[in-house]
Amino acid sequence: DQQVKQNSPSLSVQEGRISILNCDYTNSMFDYFLWYKKYPAEGPTFLISISSIKDKNEDGRFTVFLNKSAKHLSLHIVPSQPGDSAVYFCAASRTGANNLFFGTGTRLTVIP
Amino acid sequence: DVKVTQSSRYLVKRTGEKVFLECVQDMDHENMFWYRQDPGLGLRLIYFSYDVKMKEKGDIPEGYSVSREKKERFSLILESASTNQTSMYLCASRTRDRGYTFGSGTRLTVV
C-alpha cells in the first residue's frame, strides 16, 4: 500500500515561472518530510525538508509547504530554471522508523 | 559530507548469474539501505540494515539477499539474476537528520 503518493507523473513549466509539485500521504504518524531531486544516471540528492511542527520551510528558490490536516505537502520552485529539470521524489519519515517512505516521483521539465 | 560509493555505475550480466552490488559509506552510520528505481514505480526498498550483521526485508526482497560484515559496507546479492531484475539500484546511508545520502546508482542490465 503506497503511503506516499505523487499523483502527477510529469509536469512542464516555462523558464521563469513557478513549478508546484504535490505530494499526499496517508499515515498520520509521519512527522518529517523531505524532497529529493534526481538526474538521470545519478543518485537522488537531498533538496529540502520540513518537520511536522512547521507549515513552511524555505531555502532560496525552493519552498516546501505542509498541510497536516489535508496530509498534503507541496514543493514550490520560483523561478524555475532549465537546470531544475529532473525527477523529484517526496519522502516521509516517522519517529522510530529506520526507513523513508518514497512517492513514485514527478518528472519536471523546465522549458527554456 | 557523507560519501556513499557504489562500486559499479553500469553492469551487464547474464540470466542465472550471481551478482554482487557493493556499497561503502564513510561516516560510520548504522543504517544502510538498498532500493531499486523503475519508471512509474518510484523507489522501492529491497533490504536495509541497522547494524553489522543485522538486516531487515523491505517491500520487495524476493530474489535478493544482503550482507553486512562491516559497518561501512553493505552488499546486495542477486542469487540468480533474471531479466525482471534489470533496474537502477541505489544504495543509501541514513544521516543523523533522518535523511539519506544516496550513492550514484548502479544501472544493471540482465540479458
Side-chain angles (χ1 to χ4, degrees), chain A residues 2 31-32 34 36 38 40-46 49 87 89 93-105, chain B residues 9-10 31 33 35 37-38 40-43 45 48 50 56 59 88 90 94 97-105 107:
Chain A
Q2 192 78 23
D31 58 0
Y32 190 66
L34 310 93
Y36 286 83
K38 185 183 184 299
E42 294 184 14
T45 55
F46 170 76
S49 62
V87 177
F89 290 100
S93 169
R94 57 178 176 81
T95 301
N98 288 316
N99 58 299
L100 294 176
F101 296 83
F102 285 90
T104 51
Chain B
R9 293 297 297 270
Y10 300 94
N31 295 292
F33 306 84
Y35 285 84
Q37 184 206 357
D38 301 287
L41 298 177
L43 299 173
L45 181 63
F48 69 96
Y50 51 90
E56 291 274 350
D59 299 320
M88 167 71 92
L90 293 160
R94 187 183 182 195
D97 64 356
R98 296 168 65 181
Y100 288 175
T101 295
F102 283 91
S104 299
R107 170 71 64 184

Side-chain angles (χ1 to χ4, degrees), chain B residues 34-99:
Chain B
W34 276 105
Y35 285 84
R36 62 179 281 179
Q37 184 206 357
D38 301 287
L41 298 177
L43 299 173
R44 294 184 291 166
L45 181 63
I46 304 171
Y47 266 97
F48 69 96
S49 169
Y50 51 90
D51 205 345
V52 175
K53 297 192 186 295
M54 308 301 286
K55 60 186 179 184
E56 291 274 350
K57 292 180 180 179
D59 299 320
I60 51 163
E62 296 79 17
Y64 303 95
S65 62
V66 290
S67 172
R68 186 129 181 240
E69 297 296 319
K70 294 185 178 181
K71 198 170 191 179
E72 67 270 18
R73 186 179 297 271
F74 190 34
S75 303
L76 179 70
I77 304 154
L78 285 66
E79 298 291 343
S80 177
S82 63
T83 54
N84 64 12
Q85 292 178 309
T86 291
S87 186
M88 167 71 92
Y89 289 87
L90 293 160
C91 175
S93 169
R94 187 183 182 195
T95 58
R96 285 173 179 80
D97 64 356
R98 296 168 65 181

Side-chain angles (χ1 to χ4, degrees), chain A:
Chain A
D1 184 31
Q2 192 78 23
Q3 298 187 56
V4 178
K5 299 177 184 179
Q6 293 176 258
N7 292 318
S8 297
S10 62
L11 175 68
S12 291
V13 171
Q14 287 290 133
E15 181 178 3
R17 307 295 290 268
I18 184 171
S19 295
I20 300 176
L21 294 91
N22 293 304
C23 178
D24 297 293
Y25 61 96
T26 57
N27 190 336
S28 59
M29 299 297 290
F30 289 146
D31 58 0
Y32 190 66
F33 303 89
L34 310 93
W35 285 93
Y36 286 83
K37 175 179 177 179
K38 185 183 184 299
Y39 293 118
E42 294 184 14
T45 55
F46 170 76
L47 196 55
I48 193 169
S49 62
I50 187 167
S51 165
S52 60
I53 62 173
K54 294 185 174 182
D55 55 19
K56 177 182 174 181
N57 189 27
E58 196 170 351
D59 184 2
R61 297 186 297 114
F62 303 91
T63 303
V64 57
F65 295 91
L66 175 62
N67 182 334
K68 289 187 290 293
S69 60
K71 294 191 180 69
H72 176 83
L73 64 156
S74 61
L75 174 68
H76 292 210
I77 306 173
V78 184
S80 301
Q81 299 174 354
D84 297 328
S85 296
V87 177
Y88 289 79
F89 290 100
C90 169
S93 169
R94 57 178 176 81
T95 301
N98 288 316
N99 58 299
L100 294 176
F101 296 83
F102 285 90
T104 51
T106 296
R107 180 177 300 279
L108 173 66
T109 302
V110 180
I111 303 162

